[in-house]
Amino acid sequence: MFKKMFEKLSGSKPPEFKESQMDPKTEALIHAIRERSKDDPLVGAKLGGKEIFQRLLDSMKNEKGVHVESLLCALGALAGYSCQANLQCPSLSEKHAGNSCFSNHRNQ
């Protein structure tokens, strides 16, 4: 499932990782995602979203706390980018490079 998603999004095959190349935390996470994806196919996206949120929260924290408006702005920018990437994905997967949704709007 993850290989197909990677190929669809990037247009190339995912790199093959041997278990010896991964650190134990990453290996455990991937194993947990594979096991839980049988019940919930979006578990990888959910865990990724939580991780992104936590990393942003940690990086924006200072002695006063977190500036909520800045955090929401960063999350909104990431959400907007992911929407744009999702729109371009079908065009790229169908090998219509340069003929994506965005290039069509610019040419009109």
Side-chain angles (χ1 to χ4, degrees):
M1 179 172 116
F2 297 107
K3 288 182 180 182
K4 287 180 184 178
M5 253 195 281
F6 185 90
E7 288 176 12
K8 183 177 178 183
L9 292 173
S10 68
S12 63
K13 291 191 175 195
E16 293 294 327
F17 291 106
K18 295 179 183 173
E19 290 187 19
S20 61
Q21 293 176 323
M22 289 188 274
D23 62 285
K25 288 168 104 175
T26 305
E27 189 177 328
L29 178 64
I30 289 174
H31 179 70
I33 289 172
R34 284 184 182 149
E35 289 298 314
R36 290 176 56 188
S37 67
K38 295 172 187 169
D39 298 328
D40 182 7
L42 296 176
V43 70
K46 290 176 183 178
L47 289 174
K50 287 179 183 180
E51 183 67 23
I52 288 171
F53 175 75
Q54 192 60 49
R55 287 183 183 214
L56 273 174
L57 196 64
D58 292 344
S59 67
M60 296 178 121
K61 192 177 287 187
N62 61 20
E63 65 277 350
K64 295 180 181 179
V66 176
H67 189 249
V68 177
E69 292 87 350
S70 297
L71 176 64
L72 292 174
C73 183
L75 290 171
L78 288 171
Y81 175 78
S82 65
C83 289
Q84 291 175 9
N86 189 38
L87 286 174
Q88 287 184 334
C89 183
S91 296
L92 294 175
S93 67
E94 294 172 7
K95 297 183 181 176
H96 296 294
N99 196 14
S100 69
C101 299
F102 297 109
S103 63
N104 287 342
H105 290 295
R106 277 184 254 147
N107 293 335
Q108 291 177 351

